[in-house]
Amino acid sequence: MPSAVLRNHLLDRLSPEDRAAVLSASTPFEFELGHVFSEAGDTVVHVHFVLSGIISAVAGMQDGRTVETFMVGREGVTTPGAINVPVRTYSRLVGQSTGETRRIEVGRLRALCDERPELRSVIALYAAGLQGELEQSGACNALHRADQRFAKWLLRCHDRLDGDTLHLTQEYLASLLGSQRTTVNEAAQGLQKAGAISYSRGRVTILDRSALERAACECYTAGRRDILDIPRQL
């Protein structure tokens, strides 16, 4: 069994027998930055347990504006609600970085969940945490400043990626945050002056995580508790 498989928190919480069943029914999948897993309105065909990298759910408006609604890293799985009934995606699912997953056909995963209650419970708990994050994000987007949300977003990426450097352009960051490029630039410059990050030519490097945490809004702590810590509560 490849050691990378155990980097997914949900798979890591399963019994050896249940984990082996998921691995037997799934296949390795590699993705690049910008890879589109599905568009809004698509019927879910495959579910991905993320081993490395980040997959973002990005909502689009009729005027062309976009904003990230949530992200999935090695703590989770895409479209967890699909274990119960056929579902359509509400947002575009796109690779925010390069990465790897274990991809499984959704009908096969449903059958495994019927056969293996622990697998269903693990995914259901993750789905509950994701719902909590979505509710928190709704309040965050309405009430908190762009610089606070930017710091929170960088921390969430840092939690899910190896290393301290993110390769993201201003334009891409703005599209994920639902902000203007000038707003993202101002937020990045402020964090750079505070010594939290360095930012140049689409490369963001985390220099002082504590400073970044101080700059972020309270929603970072809530989101981390609800999503990243759920597997440890089983």
Side-chain angles (χ1 to χ4, degrees):
M1 180 187 305
S3 60
V5 168
L6 300 182
R7 294 169 69 187
N8 180 274
H9 295 187
L10 301 186
L11 294 180
D12 196 40
R13 291 302 305 181
L14 297 174
S15 67
E17 295 78 14
D18 285 353
R19 189 186 309 122
V22 173
L23 296 179
S24 178
S26 63
T27 57
F29 184 86
E30 296 184 0
F31 63 93
E32 300 294 329
L33 171 66
H35 173 79
V36 177
F37 290 83
S38 60
E39 296 284 1
D42 286 352
T43 299
V44 176
V45 176
H46 293 98
V47 170
H48 293 259
F49 289 89
V50 181
L51 308 181
S52 64
I54 297 174
I55 299 173
S56 289
V58 181
M61 301 293 108
Q62 291 183 354
D63 62 5
R65 290 181 297 171
T66 60
V67 65
E68 182 192 73
T69 54
F70 63 90
M71 65 173 68
V72 182
R74 64 185 57 152
E75 82 288 349
V77 62
T78 60
T79 55
I83 65 170
N84 297 313
V85 294
V87 298
R88 294 181 182 273
T89 55
Y90 290 97
S91 304
R92 167 186 281 194
L93 290 179
V94 59
Q96 192 190 111
S97 67
T98 60
E100 301 174 82
T101 74
R102 294 293 299 195
R103 182 175 70 175
I104 182 171
E105 195 273 326
V106 68
R108 184 68 184 114
L109 182 59
R110 280 193 210 111
L112 284 176
C113 287
D114 290 340
E115 298 166 5
R116 301 175 180 277
E118 182 189 12
L119 174 60
R120 181 180 295 278
S121 294
V122 165
I123 296 176
L125 279 171
Y126 171 73
L130 184 59
Q131 177 63 34
E133 183 181 79
L134 288 169
E135 293 173 6
Q136 188 78 29
S137 293
C140 181
N141 291 336
L143 299 175
H144 292 149
R145 300 190 313 269
D147 60 315
Q148 294 175 311
R149 293 189 291 113
F150 180 50
K152 178 194 73 172
W153 188 84
L154 290 176
L155 287 166
R156 293 169 69 214
C157 291
H158 195 223
D159 287 335
R160 291 164 170 86
L161 294 175
D162 296 319
D164 298 321
T165 300
L166 311 174
H167 298 276
L168 301 163
T169 64
Q170 281 186 2
E171 183 177 4
Y172 190 62
L173 284 169
S175 70
L176 291 179
L177 294 169
S179 303
Q180 299 293 324
R181 290 180 60 183
T182 53
T183 302
V184 172
N185 186 52
E186 290 172 0
Q189 288 181 351
L191 291 174
Q192 189 161 248
K193 288 179 181 178
I197 66 170
S198 66
Y199 180 58
S200 176
R201 297 182 180 179
R203 174 179 294 188
V204 179
T205 302
I206 311 300
L207 300 177
D208 186 339
R209 186 179 168 93
S210 295
L212 197 58
E213 290 177 353
R214 290 193 295 272
C217 59
E218 65 199 73
C219 300
Y220 167 67
T221 303
R224 182 178 174 84
R225 179 188 66 239
D226 291 342
I227 294 294
L228 298 183
D229 290 348
I230 270 191
R232 294 192 286 275
Q233 296 172 0
L234 296 177

